[in-house]
Structure formats: C-alpha cells, structure tokens
Amino acid sequence: MEEDLIKERKKKLEELKAMGVEPFGRRFSPTHSAADIIEKYGEKQFAENEESAEDVSVAGRIMLVRGHGKAAFAHLQDRSGKIQIYIRLDIIGEDGFKIYEKVDLGDFIGVVGSIFRTRTGELTIKVKKLCFLTKAMRPLPEKWHGLKDVETRFRQRYLDFISNPEVRKIFSLRAKVIKYIREFLDGKGYSEVETPMLHQIAGGAAAKPFKTFHNALGMDLYLRIAPELYLKRLIVAGMEKVYEINRSFRNEGISTRHNPEFTMLEVYTAYADYNDVMDLTEGLIKDAAEKTLGRKKIIFGENELNLESPWKRTPYYEILKEFTQKDFIKMNEEESRRYAKELNVNVDECKNKDEIVNQIFEKIVQPKLIQPAFVIDYPVSTSPLAKSKPDNPDLVERFELFIGGEEIANAYSELNDPIEQRKRFEEQGGTIDEDFVRALEHGMPPTGGLGIGVDRLVMVFANVLSIREVILFPQLKPEK
RNA sequence: GCGCUGCUAGCUCAAUGGUAGAGCAGUUCCCUCUUAAGGAAAAGGUUGCAGGUUCAAGUCCUGCGCAGCGCACCA
C-alpha cells in the first residue's frame, strides 16, 4: 500500500540522518545541466578508459536506477533533460556508496565527477562525490508508461512534468510564444500596460463575470471579462499604441476550449482601422510560428495548416453563402429559423435573426475554417463596441480570425462616437459604463483594436485539442 | 445543466455473475559497463462512495462523487 511505500522511504530518511546526512539538504552549485554536458561532449570521441580532464557537477532527480551489486547506473533528470551517472564502490568509497544505497527513485542528488562514454556509447558521469539533496517521500509514476491518468495529470501537474517530457515542451513553447508576442509588439513601438482586473462594471464583452466583494470599500467588484474599456481610455490618454497580455475571467461553462481564467492579448492602435489590424494579426501569428516552431506549416489535428500569407479575407454573409448556398442578408427571422432547422442547427435559445445566423455560422461554417481565414463585416447587433461600415449602418468593421476551426482573434475598428456608443449600450440593456462614455466624450482618435486568445493560439501551435493542455493548472472541482 | 464513457495495488493495465491477476515501483538476497539491466524469493486490494438484486457482484440495477468527450451556455 501507499502508506507502506512512504514508511519505507521514511525509514531510509532516518537511516540517512543516522549516517549524518541531511535528507533535506542545502545549496549545491551545478556547473552544468544535463543538456550542457551532452552539448559539450556529445561529439567527442573517447578512447578506451578515457575520461574528461575536468570534473563536472550536476544536480537533479533520480529517475531510474540499474544496480549491479557494487556498482550502479542511474539517470539524473534536471530541467534540461536526462544524463546517465555511474556509481562505483571503488570510486566513491564505502561511505559514499552507503548513501547511494539509501537513494530512491524521485530523490534529488548532486554529483561531481568526470565524463566518459560507456561501451554502448552513452555519455555518462563517473561519480566521484555524491551529495544527497532531497528525499522524496512518495513514489514516482511508472518509469516506462509514465503518468496517463488525465485527472492526476491536471491535479498533480508536477507529476505530469516529471514523467511526461512532452508536457514540458508545450509550456516551454507557450512561454516562447508569449515572449515573442511582446518582442514583436515592442519592436513596433507598442507599450505594454496593466489595467485593473477588479472592475466595478464588467464590460468589454458579453460574458458573465465572477463577483467578489471589497471589505474596506464595502462594495461589489467583478473580475474583468476583458481589458478593452480600460485600454481604450489609454488611447484617449494619448498612448496611441498599447497592449496588455494577461488573464481575463468568464463565469461560464468549462470545455475543451474554455477555461474560467484565460490569457488574452489585446492591442490598440490609434489612427488604424480593422484592415491594418488584420495585417498586424497576420504578421504577428505568422512570425510567431516561424520564431517559435521554425516553420510556417504546422500540423493541427488531422490537418496541415499553412500560415503563409496572404490569408483569406471574406465577408461574413459571403462565407455563409459559400457554405450554405443561402443569402441570409435579405432573410427575415422566420426564414432563417426555418433554414437553421433544415441545417439541423439548434436555435431554440436565439432571440433574433442575427443570433440565429450566428448559430448557423458557428455550427456550419466555423468548423470548416481550417486554413487561416479572416471573416469580416459582422452585423452591428452583435458588436456593440465596433464602428459601422461607412456604406452600410447594419454592418460593422469587425473581423474574427479562425485557424483550425478555432476562433483565435476578434477585432474591429473601434467605435469612437460617444453618442452612438451610449445608444448601443442602451440597446443592449445592461449597465452603462458612464466613465467609459465620458472618456470617449473627451475624444478617442480612430482606433483599431484586437483581441487574441493566447491559450487557443498555443493550442494550435502545440497541436493539442484541449485548452487544459496549455494551462498549467486548469480549473477542476475539488477532489472530495 | 443534459447525454455517453471511464474509475481495479503507488503507476500502467487484465479479470463469459463463480477463490481479484500481471508488469513496473517497493522489500530481502545475488550481481563492478547497464539501457524499461538481469536472476531468486516473499509481500502488496474496503475494485471511486452508498444502497439494492442474487446462493454468489469488480461485473447486473439505483443514487451520489470525480474525470474525459459531446451537447447546451460562452456575440
């Protein structure tokens, strides 16, 4: 039983103490990582019995041990990978070997020794000194099959990292993508800002917010559902080019593409419109793929995605027509509801024609938008913060970007007319953010705005089909 | 919220309604170039939880919990 396994380890811990070895040790200075050693000596030819002149020191977790009586091979894992170590009684001595005998899989040790190549060709550290660093009281998952149970992988993500190397790669990729986004935008003169996450009015999107309470102020606050309205205040302020990359929170269902907290990039560019923002988005994602993955063709699920420019740009009603053979522009609510039924799309919850058509778009069109595609010019009713088309007040200058059937970005020419903005808020029926309207009344220059779901972008880059695979600690119910 | 599937040893997996098994890990012993090292032995279980049907339940039924997937929700 598990308790017996812990008891065994506790016993060894006490035996180490009795030997004068601290089971939860102190500092150790590795000269190399496992990967450093492979990089430095990987190409080197060693003669029989030859070893490196220098000694290296490496620290890590013991992943695997192959004992041979008075000698042993083991694999030590650090952040960079694994390196084999070779322990011999006649080299580290009686005392050192006794310490080795108390080492379990999962323990942290530091070793000092020279590099050599085994007869089978593996680069190995011949251990001259072994420092015990930390006892692991619980066993590791299985050495060959690793940890597969999805629930344990997410609840105890550290175990997932320890036994599944590809998981580490996904989060390393995520870090690179976010780093590159900053590099790209900083390089174009954008300023990164941090706006409030605690909002008095949760605006900028139509999602349900999380509610909390500030004791000293004695008032309700909401976790933000989008940073949009604050970023636009900064455009009023004259910042001209700003972005924020951080968490937003939406109190809605959890699925393979929704986590209650998620990372969004929002970018605002004064004097630009949605066409400029499309160029910016295309450049950013294409370059990010090239910089982080080294290629512009990527595999996502069953498809190969080609991120090479130019990306398709198609008006909303046009692409609907392309996939359904129906012209929804002139249709009324009754007709569109009938067509929805024909197409087997459930529109029972939809209150008007635009919502029905949007359902049809999401169910019929969106899953087929595999290659990068900008869908442009949406109905005004579903886009209260976007500027209308100059030649058609029913449509707005807005685009959504789809890659691999996933909605990756949402953007528009920002509505900067405070009178029109107030009217749109009133039509929506919710709380009006008077402070935001007042900001617009002071004058916001024409502005192009963009939101990118960073988690979803990383999903596409990493070729994983669940958002939980790109979020370190996805939200789960309590275990008990 | 609804539906489907899953939950068996620390991990990975077996088990036509008929004594719950294996591999790895762990324990003891042998072994100074192994690669999931090898050899020998012993040990390890409230089958997610609670009920029910049955002579007999891991297996069938009901409820509950958690998870995955789908649907709904999410402009």
Side-chain angles (χ1 to χ4, degrees):
Chain A
M1 280 188 62
E2 190 171 22
E3 291 135 51
D4 300 328
L5 298 173
I6 293 172
K7 211 175 280 172
E8 284 295 338
R9 285 168 180 249
K10 187 87 195 296
K11 193 174 131 203
K12 287 184 194 167
L13 185 155
E14 295 300 338
E15 287 164 352
L16 282 166
K17 274 187 182 167
M19 289 159 59
V21 176
E22 174 53 59
F24 300 100
R26 291 167 196 283
R27 71 186 301 278
F28 181 86
S29 304
T31 56
H32 295 71
S33 71
D36 288 340
I37 289 168
I38 289 164
E39 198 188 333
K40 189 164 177 187
Y41 292 98
E43 303 293 309
K44 182 174 159 59
Q45 299 291 316
F46 284 88
E48 183 84 12
N49 293 326
E50 188 191 352
E51 58 189 69
S52 66
E54 66 163 349
D55 278 351
V56 298
S57 60
V58 180
R61 196 191 281 273
I62 291 289
M63 296 303 289
L64 205 141
V65 176
R66 293 177 289 278
H68 292 262
K70 296 184 181 66
F73 288 92
H75 274 114
L76 198 60
Q77 177 170 291
D78 67 11
R79 68 185 183 286
S80 71
K82 288 179 193 168
I83 186 85
Q84 181 168 257
I85 62 173
Y86 183 39
I87 295 165
R88 284 175 62 124
L89 173 62
D90 58 0
I91 295 175
I92 64 164
E94 295 268 354
D95 290 348
F97 204 74
K98 277 202 184 108
I99 297 171
Y100 149 72
E101 284 176 324
K102 301 300 168 202
V103 173
D104 285 308
L105 302 189
D107 291 356
F108 282 91
I109 63 167
V111 297
V112 181
S114 55
I115 310 294
F116 76 107
R117 203 179 280 283
T118 62
R119 271 169 213 161
T120 48
E122 183 163 351
L123 220 48
T124 303
I125 302 173
K126 190 179 281 180
V127 178
K128 296 175 180 168
K129 193 175 162 221
L130 188 156
C131 300
F132 197 90
L133 297 179
T134 295
K135 190 78 201 157
M137 305 296 294
R138 290 175 183 271
L140 247 31
E142 215 252 3
K143 66 181 179 186
W144 184 245
H145 300 92
L147 178 65
K148 290 192 175 167
D149 184 74
V150 182
E151 189 174 347
T152 310
R153 285 187 49 230
F154 294 155
R155 285 194 198 280
Q156 294 177 268
R157 184 66 101 170
Y158 46 91
L159 293 178
D160 196 21
F161 267 63
I162 292 165
S163 36
N164 300 320
E166 63 285 358
V167 170
R168 193 180 301 229
K169 284 198 193 111
I170 290 172
F171 288 98
S172 160
L173 173 64
R174 180 184 173 115
K176 281 184 200 156
V177 169
I178 291 173
K179 185 165 182 270
Y180 182 71
I181 288 171
R182 289 201 163 96
E183 237 177 82
F184 180 91
L185 293 170
D186 293 345
K188 291 190 184 301
Y190 287 81
S191 300
E192 181 173 4
V193 297
E194 292 176 88
T195 64
M197 297 216 182
L198 294 174
H199 288 188
Q200 294 181 14
I201 298 166
K208 293 187 196 85
F210 287 95
K211 192 174 179 179
T212 186
F213 182 78
H214 190 285
N215 291 340
L217 293 175
M219 66 187 285
D220 288 334
L221 288 173
Y222 300 90
L223 299 192
R224 72 177 182 192
I225 54 175
E228 171 153 356
L229 301 186
Y230 278 98
L231 292 170
K232 285 198 275 204
R233 284 170 171 93
L234 293 174
I235 296 297
V236 173
M239 286 196 71
E240 295 188 353
K241 293 170 131 188
V242 291
Y243 72 96
E244 178 161 10
I245 182 163
N246 216 317
R247 231 66 66 79
S248 286
F249 307 84
R250 295 187 181 177
N251 202 345
E252 275 146 10
I254 296 178
S255 76
T256 47
R257 42 182 72 75
H258 300 267
N259 195 61
E261 50 183 308
F262 63 102
T263 300
M264 190 152 62
L265 166 70
E266 289 207 0
V267 186
Y268 291 82
T269 313
Y271 315 117
D273 70 5
Y274 76 142
N275 287 304
D276 302 308
V277 177
M278 266 185 268
D279 295 341
L280 181 80
T281 306
E282 188 168 329
L284 171 61
I285 293 175
K286 184 178 54 134
D287 289 4
E290 205 163 16
K291 280 284 193 323
T292 62
L293 297 168
R295 52 185 190 274
K296 283 186 254 182
K297 287 189 177 173
I298 59 181
I299 302 291
F300 183 63
E302 294 170 351
N303 303 101
E304 187 186 67
L305 309 180
N306 185 359
L307 303 184
E308 196 66 65
S309 292
W311 296 354
K312 202 169 136 184
R313 301 181 181 190
T314 317
Y316 180 71
Y317 283 112
E318 216 169 274
I319 202 154
L320 273 161
K321 198 172 181 181
E322 194 180 317
F323 284 94
T324 65
Q325 321 305 326
K326 307 275 188 242
D327 188 354
F328 286 93
I329 300 178
K330 288 165 194 157
M331 233 178 256
N332 63 26
E333 183 175 337
E334 285 315 304
E335 288 170 304
S336 51
R337 203 176 282 276
R338 203 166 60 235
Y339 280 127
K341 225 154 248 150
E342 235 170 73
L343 293 162
N344 238 335
V345 175
N346 180 2
V347 291
D348 296 347
E349 308 279 326
C350 297
K351 290 178 214 68
N352 57 50
K353 177 201 154 187
D354 288 339
E355 286 183 18
I356 292 165
V357 176
N358 182 55
Q359 272 304 307
I360 294 169
F361 178 85
E362 283 184 18
K363 299 298 168 210
I364 307 294
V365 180
Q366 181 178 332
K368 291 180 186 131
L369 299 180
I370 302 302
Q371 297 304 325
F374 291 109
V375 176
I376 67 173
D377 300 345
Y378 282 75
V380 63
S381 72
T382 54
S383 319
L385 298 161
K387 194 189 266 292
S388 304
K389 301 268 295 175
D391 54 347
N392 184 349
D394 294 335
L395 296 180
V396 291
E397 293 189 349
R398 170 183 175 193
F399 73 80
E400 292 198 304
L401 169 66
F402 298 90
I403 305 178
E406 302 281 351
E407 181 190 336
I408 300 293
N410 182 18
Y412 30 85
S413 301
E414 301 296 336
L415 177 58
N416 63 341
D417 173 347
I419 299 161
E420 173 71 11
Q421 181 67 79
R422 182 185 297 278
K423 204 177 114 206
R424 299 260 197 101
F425 277 152
E426 278 164 359
E427 281 162 5
Q428 290 274 304
T431 318
I432 298 177
D433 192 334
E434 289 294 345
D435 184 71
F436 172 66
V437 177
R438 180 173 64 181
L440 290 187
E441 284 167 356
H442 284 88
M444 181 174 85
T447 296
L450 166 67
I452 292 183
V454 174
D455 311 276
R456 288 184 186 169
L457 183 64
V458 175
M459 280 170 67
V460 171
F461 280 17
N463 187 23
V464 294
L465 300 176
S466 168
I467 200 167
R468 294 181 197 91
E469 296 291 349
V470 302
I471 290 174
L472 284 169
F473 300 99
Q475 200 57 241
L476 300 176
K477 287 194 191 181
E479 240 169 300
K480 279 181 183 169

